[in-house]
Amino acid sequence: GDSVTQMEGPVTLSEEAFLTINCTYTATGYPSLFWYVQYPGEGLQLLLKATKADDKGSNKGFEATYRKETTSFHLEKGSVQVSDSAVYFCARALGRGAQKLVFGQGTRLTINP
Amino acid sequence: DAGVIQSPRHEVTEMGQEVTLRCKPISGHNSLFWYRQTMMRGLELLIYFNNNVPIDDSGMPEDRFSAKMPNASFSTLKIQPSEPRDSAVYFCASSLAHQGRADTQYFGPGTRLTVL
């Protein structure tokens, strides 16, 4: 069925390190893809999205490119900060009108100073 | 905008009691979603509404769970009777669906439910 698979965590990096969190999806067609971030004690917030193949979503230094050839949407950031510590969720749209979201299991990221 | 508002933020109850969670979506949004988050199962969609009408409730775990949306600015998720395995964080989210297609979902802060 339709699913989203994320790189398992937790991930621990030092400040200013390069970040990649892998995400792959199974789908029929070309669903919209999303990265959400959840800070401690809060709800999820949209970080970035891409609605069609080859689109690149970007926000706050994070980027992800919609790769239909590899069915992937990997999240990257060139230089992470302590404030980036959070749980990151990859998601794809699903269902009638693409209103449902299917989430990956989440990847906990900790950045040490 | 105040964002999606959920209440209560924390709820502790005993097994067998009725629990009601409340959500006020962002004004002007016409789609509303209820999610449950646990360590074991991650984030699961329970039910969603368009224009106050339930569209897909396939994620509702069992008959003990029910959700209503009496108007565009209010929704409830009820568990009766509650069980310890219902302990989780419950999120409400809203979005604006245009021509049947949805935009970004905005999440509330969640309600942490503990059933003893």
Side-chain angles (χ1 to χ4, degrees):
Chain A
D2 298 299
S3 65
V4 175
T5 303
Q6 279 183 243
M7 165 182 178
E8 285 197 24
V11 175
T12 302
L13 296 172
S14 298
E15 206 165 20
E16 299 183 3
F18 183 85
L19 169 71
T20 300
I21 301 178
N22 291 339
C23 172
T24 57
Y25 64 92
T26 60
T28 53
Y30 302 105
S32 294
L33 301 173
F34 307 82
W35 276 101
Y36 278 81
V37 58
Q38 184 178 29
Y39 298 102
E42 299 183 12
L44 279 70
Q45 303 174 23
L46 178 70
L47 181 58
L48 53 84
K49 67 179 181 182
T51 57
K52 60 183 187 296
D54 300 324
D55 266 3
K56 177 185 284 188
S58 61
N59 185 27
K60 299 181 181 179
F62 290 90
E63 293 184 340
T65 302
Y66 191 135
R67 304 281 189 201
K68 66 177 181 179
E69 303 85 2
T70 54
T71 61
S72 65
F73 193 55
H74 304 323
L75 183 68
E76 297 182 335
K77 185 173 185 180
S79 177
V80 292
Q81 306 300 313
V82 172
S83 57
D84 294 327
S85 299
V87 181
Y88 292 80
F89 292 90
C90 185
R92 55 147 292 169
L94 181 70
R96 192 174 87 190
Q99 296 203 49
K100 291 174 63 169
L101 290 180
V102 174
F103 287 88
Q105 70 269 35
T107 301
R108 181 174 298 278
L109 174 66
T110 300
I111 306 300
N112 294 321
Chain B
D1 198 315
V4 176
I5 298 172
Q6 292 187 246
S7 65
R9 292 294 308 276
H10 302 273
E11 176 79 32
V12 180
T13 190
E14 293 187 346
M15 183 174 62
Q17 296 298 304
E18 178 180 294
V19 175
T20 299
L21 311 181
R22 297 173 176 80
C23 176
K24 177 178 169 56
I26 291 173
S27 178
H29 282 188
N30 56 5
S31 294
L32 184 140
F33 307 79
W34 282 102
Y35 291 89
R36 177 172 68 176
Q37 185 179 40
T38 61
M39 289 293 293
M40 290 298 295
R41 300 175 67 89
L43 197 62
E44 304 171 279
L45 176 66
L46 301 177
I47 184 171
Y48 79 92
F49 297 81
N50 276 161
N51 297 314
N52 315 336
V53 176
I55 302 300
D56 186 340
D57 65 355
S58 59
M60 295 285 262
E62 48 197 272
D63 291 346
R64 298 185 296 106
F65 285 68
S66 62
K68 294 182 179 179
M69 192 165 186
N71 58 62
S73 59
F74 183 66
S75 177
T76 59
L77 178 68
K78 187 175 292 187
I79 308 172
Q80 166 64 16
S82 58
E83 296 183 2
R85 60 193 168 119
D86 301 330
S87 298
V89 180
Y90 292 81
F91 289 103
C92 177
S94 70
S95 70
L96 178 62
H98 178 64
Q99 294 182 336
R101 291 193 65 85
D103 201 347
T104 301
Q105 291 186 23
Y106 294 85
F107 282 72
T111 295
R112 182 175 294 277
L113 173 65
T114 302
V115 182
L116 302 175

